[in-house]
Amino acid sequence: QVQLQESGPGLVKPSETLSLTCTVSGYSISSGYYWGWIRQPPGKGLEWIGSIYHSGSTYYNPSLKSRVTISVDTSKNQFSLKLSSVTAADTAVYYCARVEVGLTLGGEDYWGQGTLVTVSS
Amino acid sequence: QSVLTQPPSASGTPGQRVTISCSGSSSNIGSNYVYWYQQLPGTAPKLLIYRNNQRPSGVPDRFSGSKSGTSASLAISGLRSEDEADYYCAAWDDSLRRVFGGGTKLTVL
């Protein structure tokens, strides 16, 4: 079955760059679907960060676009998130997810378990 | 402030039917599919309803979704204690931005 697993540092200093990787198993990223990142600050709701296709085509949340880069490595069946110039407001549980694709983008049908990233000095 | 508007809380007793609303605009719900997610405490969200009213395999038929104009609803019939969770609606907007509701905390009394 399809599984996603986030990995990366759990603590990042203010003004530095947050870097996370999502490793996909049970499905080849190259076979299709979009792949996305969503975050959830403690006690708050979900916020979409962005999505990427295996070709490298991306869509980003306009409110984060200037700081976000999402990339894909099909040889490792992974995709990654970089968020620069972080502040305490970027403290959140970060989820990676598979995004269904039909005539248009669809729902996130498989999710990673999430990883808590805290921004603090 | 979330783009889609949900009530912060809802409640019901076991066996009851509960509905959760989600309000958007013509550029998101009005012209695109609505999705619903269930998030149990301490876990990742789970896709509950896709394309307005479709249930993924394994989701009980007690859960149903509907959409009318720029609003959508999630209905849960035969409420059970294990349904106590946060529920989120979501949609894509016409500029291919993913938008979520603020979430509704469902309490089973």
Side-chain angles (χ1 to χ4, degrees), chain B residues 1-86:
Chain B
Q1 183 129 359
S2 302
V3 174
L4 305 181
T5 300
Q6 297 180 236
S9 64
S11 63
T13 57
Q16 262 191 332
R17 182 177 187 269
V18 171
T19 61
I20 297 171
S21 62
C22 176
S23 177
S25 68
S26 57
S27 67
N28 44 61
I29 291 179
S31 53
N32 295 284
Y33 290 123
V34 177
Y35 299 81
W36 289 92
Y37 297 87
Q38 177 192 58
Q39 187 176 34
L40 297 169
T43 68
K46 169 191 169 184
L47 182 63
L48 202 61
I49 297 289
Y50 66 100
R51 296 182 197 172
N52 301 334
N53 54 20
Q54 303 299 302
R55 284 185 307 276
S57 174
V59 173
D61 59 5
R62 302 186 297 105
F63 295 91
S64 62
S66 63
K67 178 184 127 172
S68 178
T70 59
S71 294
S73 291
L74 172 71
I76 309 171
S77 60
L79 196 62
R80 304 173 70 160
S81 58
E82 56 260 41
D83 298 333
E84 190 160 286
D86 294 326

Side-chain angles (χ1 to χ4, degrees), chain A residues 71-116:
Chain A
S71 58
V72 64
D73 186 339
T74 55
S75 67
K76 295 182 179 178
N77 221 35
Q78 296 175 334
F79 60 104
S80 299
L81 168 69
K82 291 188 186 298
L83 181 65
S84 64
S85 304
V86 297
T87 69
D90 295 309
T91 294
V93 174
Y94 286 75
Y95 295 101
C96 59
R98 189 179 80 165
V99 185
E100 64 170 354
V101 178
L103 292 177
T104 183
L105 290 168
E108 292 81 358
D109 59 358
Y110 286 93
W111 295 66
Q113 64 185 27
T115 187
L116 175 62

